[in-house]
Amino acid sequence: MSLLDNAAHVESLTVLSRFRTDLYGCLPARADALFELTDALLCTDGAVRSLVDLTLTPEHRRGHGALYDALNCGRIQEDRLRAVLASLPLPKSADGRIVLAVDVSCWLRPDAPTSSDRLFCHVYGRAKNQAQMIPGWPYSFVAALEPGRTSWTAILDAIRLGPADDATAVTADQLRAVVGRLIAAGHWADGDPDILIVMDAGYDVTRLAFVLADLPVQLLGRIRSDRVLRLPKPPRLPGTTGRPPKHGPEFALDKPATWPQPQHTTTTATTRYGTAIATSWDRVHPRLTHRTCWIDHEGDLPIIEGTLIRLQVDHLPGDRAPKPVWLWSSAIGATADDVDRCWQAFLRRFDIEHTFRLFKQTLGWTVPKIRTPQAADRWTWLIIAAHTQLRLARPLTADLRRPWEKPAAPGRLTPARVRRGFRNLHANTALPASAPKPSKPGPGRPPGSKNRKPTPHYDVGKTVKRDLTMTARQQRTG
């Protein structure tokens, strides 16, 4: 190993050890048990199949009672941990731009009637065009994306959506807080490119663009292919009488006859999708006609203009028939390079799906049968802390591949392969947890006694009915 490689190795190990120390400082109650539970996640062999099996690993030096007590009664300073995550090295695109992805992943709990704050989560069925609504806890994640095809992301925040929450309002507050922490950590300064935030069709991207207009961000989201948008209003000719229009002609995404001449058309050759053709139209906006989510907006409804992008490729993986993808960006006056940067960043959004798959299938995020949502929040943050340590340990672990697996290129280890070699690295990192003290198990419930305090059952779904019109709001407040 050269001196340069040795210095980089020492620096990476220092960053990992510092994060482990900071993580321990974010645990004010049951710190030792929570910290060793995270180590057990990182050092156990194979996927996590049950929560209690983690107590059998050598890194977890406490009993199963301490594990459940830590999840049920422990504490995690979430705001402090969020600041620690924002201070870590952050991946950026080739032009130095920070690209964030926001998405929701659900912890399904259909058989938990005694668990509160469950919502109906949209789940795709096995058959074509089939979907189900299953009770569970939805979590909104924000992650920084890396350039190029990879299964790595940097998780920066997670919030559980409750029955009384407006998903768009919660997402707006979440993104505002994440951007503020990134600016405070020095990842963005005046003169840097705007932070690009990518999202899928489940978000109201135009409303988020209006709410976050004061931040140095650019929003990009997929919209449905049957939407009808509006072009900018035409210039008013001299001598025209009557009320001037607020909107221009209709732009129906599924009716090419309504499409005007595009501002830019780019062609890019890709190795995965063939030739990609991106067409863009400037200053396209939706026509807001109903108050609904704009019930608190004073005055006339705003006109939120942006760039509309249509992406068409030759083929999809698996010889599936390609359909055009429609994207809307909050940027106005985008150039051809900006259009290419947008749709390429949108393709990188799917990297967060690899992170969700790792959380659920390998780290066992949705495996425990936890009753309270507060304990679920603690377990979720431990999963995020474990994934962050895997990301920091990428340049430190060796490729311990199975005989039937292909060798991975240097620096291209997947999170599962890094986790496979984390146990060899564990002893060289900071170990702030103290040794366990000898104790005796509690007496438990006396034999023959009955539980005279049954656990209450909770309904599933929203608990707050929002006003949809100004008349309904005036009747309720009047």
Side-chain angles (χ1 to χ4, degrees):
M1 181 181 296
S2 63
L3 294 178
L4 185 61
D5 294 339
N6 188 33
H9 186 277
V10 172
E11 177 64 22
S12 300
L13 186 59
T14 302
V15 173
L16 175 59
S17 297
R18 187 186 304 118
F19 173 77
R20 290 171 60 84
T21 304
D22 294 339
L23 172 63
Y24 186 81
C26 298
L27 309 175
R30 310 299 197 276
D32 295 333
L34 290 173
F35 188 85
E36 291 191 356
L37 177 57
T38 308
D39 281 352
L41 271 173
L42 293 168
C43 298
T44 188
D45 295 330
V48 177
R49 300 302 181 188
S50 66
L51 191 62
V52 71
D53 286 343
L54 295 176
T55 62
L56 303 178
T57 60
E59 289 75 17
H60 193 281
R61 299 174 293 178
R62 289 158 173 82
H64 63 278
L67 182 147
Y68 288 107
D69 182 65
L71 287 179
N72 294 326
C73 303
R75 284 182 54 203
I76 298 179
Q77 295 178 347
E78 298 177 0
D79 292 339
R80 182 176 175 180
L81 183 54
R82 290 186 177 102
V84 172
L85 293 175
S87 64
L88 295 175
L90 201 67
K92 296 184 179 181
S93 61
D95 61 345
R97 186 188 303 269
I98 299 175
V99 181
L100 303 180
V102 56
D103 202 356
V104 173
S105 185
C106 300
W107 183 343
L108 302 181
R109 295 303 310 276
D111 54 349
T114 59
S115 297
S116 61
D117 295 348
R118 291 184 303 160
L119 296 177
F120 286 106
C121 303
H122 181 273
V123 179
Y124 288 101
R126 294 183 180 274
K128 184 178 180 180
N129 297 328
Q130 295 292 325
Q132 299 174 341
M133 302 299 292
I134 300 179
W137 290 314
Y139 280 84
S140 175
F141 291 88
V142 178
L145 303 180
E146 295 189 357
R149 292 172 55 186
T150 179
S151 56
W152 289 97
T153 60
I155 300 294
L156 299 176
D157 193 15
I159 292 180
R160 177 174 47 83
L161 302 178
D165 292 335
D166 181 358
T168 303
V170 172
T171 303
D173 295 338
Q174 183 183 21
L175 292 174
R176 183 178 295 275
V178 169
V179 172
R181 288 192 294 268
L182 294 179
I183 295 176
H187 293 295
W188 187 92
D190 293 336
D192 293 343
D194 288 345
I195 300 174
L196 181 59
I197 302 176
V198 188
M199 59 195 67
D200 207 3
Y203 291 89
D204 191 348
V205 60
T206 54
R207 181 184 170 195
L208 288 174
F210 178 81
V211 175
L212 303 178
D214 58 324
L215 295 180
V217 298
Q218 174 186 344
L219 274 74
L220 175 68
R222 183 169 66 92
I223 59 177
R224 292 173 48 178
S225 59
D226 58 352
R227 289 282 299 271
V228 178
L229 304 180
R230 288 301 185 112
L231 296 168
K233 62 180 181 180
R236 189 172 179 83
L237 300 177
T240 304
T241 60
R243 183 179 179 180
K246 293 181 59 177
H247 310 278
E250 289 187 349
F251 190 113
L253 305 189
D254 56 354
K255 296 180 180 179
T258 62
W259 303 352
Q261 187 68 22
Q263 274 73 30
H264 301 286
T265 301
T266 63
T267 303
T268 306
T270 65
T271 58
R272 187 173 178 84
Y273 306 101
T275 302
I277 302 176
T279 310
S280 66
W281 293 266
D282 195 19
R283 297 183 60 192
V284 181
H285 62 274
R287 181 183 179 183
L288 306 179
T289 57
H290 302 284
R291 284 285 172 174
T292 56
C293 60
W294 299 91
I295 195 71
D296 297 326
H297 183 77
E298 300 293 340
D300 296 336
L301 295 177
I303 296 178
I304 310 170
E305 295 182 332
T307 301
L308 181 66
I309 303 173
R310 180 181 185 270
L311 178 63
Q312 180 70 54
V313 298
D314 287 341
H315 56 81
L316 296 176
D319 295 332
R320 291 178 295 170
K323 296 181 180 180
V325 176
W326 291 92
L327 306 174
W328 187 90
S329 172
S330 61
I332 298 178
T335 63
D337 294 337
D338 296 335
V339 172
D340 286 340
R341 184 186 305 111
C342 286
W343 69 261
Q344 291 172 9
F346 177 77
L347 295 183
R348 297 277 62 79
R349 189 205 68 83
F350 295 97
D351 294 341
I352 198 174
E353 302 295 340
H354 297 286
T355 301
F356 293 155
R357 182 179 181 182
L358 177 79
F359 280 7
K360 295 180 179 181
Q361 298 186 5
T362 303
L363 298 182
W365 174 40
T366 58
V367 165
K369 304 300 182 182
I370 295 176
R371 173 177 295 177
T372 63
Q374 292 77 19
D377 294 343
R378 298 185 190 101
W379 175 246
T380 301
W381 279 108
L382 294 184
I383 295 290
I384 295 175
H387 179 263
T388 302
Q389 294 184 58
L390 293 178
R391 181 171 64 89
L392 298 178
R394 287 172 65 183
L396 302 174
T397 54
D399 185 13
L400 303 180
R401 65 183 183 91
R402 302 289 190 256
W404 55 84
E405 293 176 342
K406 296 181 180 180
R412 298 292 298 177
L413 293 181
T414 62
R417 289 200 183 186
V418 173
R419 178 172 175 261
R420 192 179 298 168
F422 192 88
R423 172 171 287 175
N424 299 332
L425 181 66
H426 178 262
N428 298 326
T429 61
L431 303 174
S434 59
K437 299 179 181 179
S439 61
K440 297 181 180 180
R445 183 184 301 169
S449 62
K450 296 183 179 180
N451 182 14
R452 303 187 183 278
K453 294 182 180 180
T455 304
H457 288 51
Y458 300 92
D459 296 331
V460 183
K462 292 288 186 180
T463 59
V464 176
K465 183 179 180 181
R466 296 182 177 83
D467 300 328
L468 300 181
T469 61
M470 296 295 294
T471 303
R473 183 184 182 187
Q474 293 173 358
Q475 292 176 353
R476 180 179 60 83
T477 58

